[in-house]
Amino acid sequence: MPQGSETTAASSHDAVHMGVAAWAAWAPGFADVEAWQEWDGGLLPADDGSAPEVKFVDALLRRRLGRLTRMALHVAHECAAGRSPAATVFASRHGELARSVGLLHAIAGGELPSPAAFSLSVHNTAAGIHSIVHHDHAPSSAIAAGEESLLWALVEAATRLRDLHDAHEAGVLLVFADETLPDEYAPWRPSAEATHALALWLVPGRDLTLSWRPSAEACDAQPAPATQPLALALLACRLGRRPELAWSGERLSVQGRWHA
Amino acid sequence: MTELESAIKELIIEALELEDLAPDDIVTDAPLFGEGLGLDSIDALELGIALKKRFGLELRSDDPDLKQHFRSVESLARLIATRQPQGV
């Protein structure tokens, strides 16, 4: 009974599935879908510090935005393409860490920290600005969950999808963005670090299926650090660079597929 | 435009990341918040800190005249001049 076994897998605690109606991604040197088509699925080029322009944001609001927020707003805008989501899920492992470091330096130096920098350093900065820019009143979550932040954002989005009343109209907008760490955190730099952002317009369906288990169970040897962030491993799967997702982090191993 | 008013305009541009503007773009007696320049409440906080750093201006949030003081470059200049009669 394939149908029955699928249902069982989907309702268990270690698997999730959903449809992906649209996606958008950004990284330095990868401004649009055409650029990603040229990507070989491997390491991204060195971070050149560039940022998306986000011209759709009012200039007075735009002037203060940090790069991570610009990246998140950019992919969200591209992916949603004017549609209003039923819910938004924003995720990042480290958030606007560069801004927090600036605030900490000010405090350590005995200066008053900047209120504008503080207001834009919180983990729901991108979610809040997105809501203001698009007059979007949909419920929103901001998730940070270590190197598996994208995985748990997808679980959150799947939960939101289950609550949708009109599956044909609405979707859930998931936005993930991360930056390379500021130099102050160099000793803790993750092995699979990259500046990148990914947005997914999620609907009920099975385009994307993921399952996971503790890395210690998945391999006999000591779990090795991930060689690529989960979002990029997933994107490589979508672009056909790899037939299946097989990502392994320090805590969890994630398997799955993302078909067009 | 007095020297003090000019210094306040430069401070506004620098502290509030308004690099697209020149000091002359800010009208001395025009509203800074809402209409006019269109600054918001976060700008007000940021500007308060910048004024404290640059001019040693101490502001109290329970000052009933605070909103009037922050109305324009002109009113800020008047406040600073009152607090520092020797000039800047």
Side-chain angles (χ1 to χ4, degrees):
Chain A
M1 295 202 308
Q3 190 61 46
S5 59
E6 268 185 34
T7 308
T8 308
S11 62
S12 76
H13 291 294
D14 59 357
V16 73
H17 61 81
M18 58 204 90
V20 185
W23 63 273
W26 187 92
F30 293 83
D32 50 32
V33 173
E34 285 70 36
W36 286 107
Q37 298 293 353
E38 302 292 315
W39 178 49
D40 63 4
L43 288 177
L44 295 181
D47 187 350
D48 60 7
S50 61
E53 290 192 318
V54 294
K55 285 193 171 160
F56 55 90
V57 182
D58 179 76
L60 270 179
L61 190 56
R62 190 172 61 217
R63 70 196 143 119
R64 300 192 196 111
L65 302 180
R67 178 165 75 154
L68 187 81
T69 301
R70 286 171 190 253
M71 288 162 51
L73 291 174
H74 172 77
V75 292
H77 184 73
E78 295 275 304
C79 184
R83 292 171 292 191
S84 296
T88 56
V89 179
F90 283 79
S92 176
R93 179 175 188 180
H94 299 293
E96 283 272 2
L97 195 54
R99 221 177 252 283
S100 302
V101 168
L103 288 166
L104 291 172
H105 278 305
I107 293 167
E111 289 177 24
L112 283 171
S114 153
F118 174 73
S119 80
L120 294 172
S121 71
V122 295
H123 204 68
N124 60 348
T125 296
I129 302 288
H130 172 85
S131 160
I132 293 169
V133 169
H134 296 288
H135 306 288
D136 183 348
H137 297 171
S140 186
S141 318
I143 290 179
E147 63 179 345
E148 308 117 26
S149 292
L150 176 63
L151 172 66
W152 300 116
L154 284 161
V155 171
E156 168 83 2
T159 310
R160 291 283 192 190
L161 277 175
R162 217 163 45 189
D163 295 339
L164 288 188
H165 294 298
D166 189 347
H168 298 291
E169 289 293 326
V172 172
L173 177 61
L174 183 152
V175 183
F176 175 85
D178 238 340
E179 267 183 301
T180 51
L181 289 182
D183 289 341
E184 285 83 347
Y185 291 91
W188 301 280
R189 203 174 283 289
S191 56
E193 196 190 38
T195 293
H196 63 297
L198 174 69
L200 305 172
W201 187 274
L202 299 168
V203 294
R206 294 191 167 270
D207 303 326
L208 177 61
T209 61
L210 294 173
S211 65
W212 58 93
R213 56 181 169 154
S215 288
E217 285 176 21
C219 56
D220 297 332
Q222 186 74 16
T227 53
Q228 190 172 43
L230 181 56
L232 292 176
L234 202 58
L235 192 55
C237 198
R238 169 63 180 78
L239 293 168
R241 306 295 179 266
R242 269 161 240 151
E244 298 208 329
L245 175 76
W247 179 89
S248 199
E250 281 176 46
R251 286 182 296 206
L252 293 181
S253 290
V254 184
Q255 290 80 40
R257 288 175 296 117
W258 180 6
H259 293 310
Chain B
M1 185 163 61
T2 68
E3 209 173 297
L4 178 57
E5 286 165 351
S6 174
I8 293 171
K9 288 182 185 183
E10 278 165 29
L11 183 71
I12 288 173
I13 288 168
E14 189 202 321
L16 306 184
E17 298 178 64
L18 295 163
E19 283 84 359
D20 295 347
L21 293 183
D24 284 345
D25 294 331
I26 303 177
V27 181
T28 309
D29 59 355
L32 291 170
F33 297 90
E35 49 180 326
L37 201 53
L39 303 179
D40 60 22
S41 56
I42 299 280
D43 289 314
L45 290 168
E46 198 73 36
L47 185 54
I49 286 179
L51 289 167
K52 184 185 163 114
K53 270 191 205 166
R54 173 78 168 77
F55 300 107
L57 187 66
E58 293 287 346
L59 298 160
R60 293 173 54 99
S61 57
D62 59 356
D63 180 350
D65 297 327
L66 196 58
K67 209 172 167 184
Q68 257 329 101
H69 294 323
F70 271 74
R71 190 192 164 275
S72 65
V73 171
E74 189 180 42
S75 59
L76 280 171
R78 206 180 306 129
L79 175 70
I80 294 166
T82 314
R83 300 276 181 93
Q84 298 180 312
Q86 74 279 14
V88 180

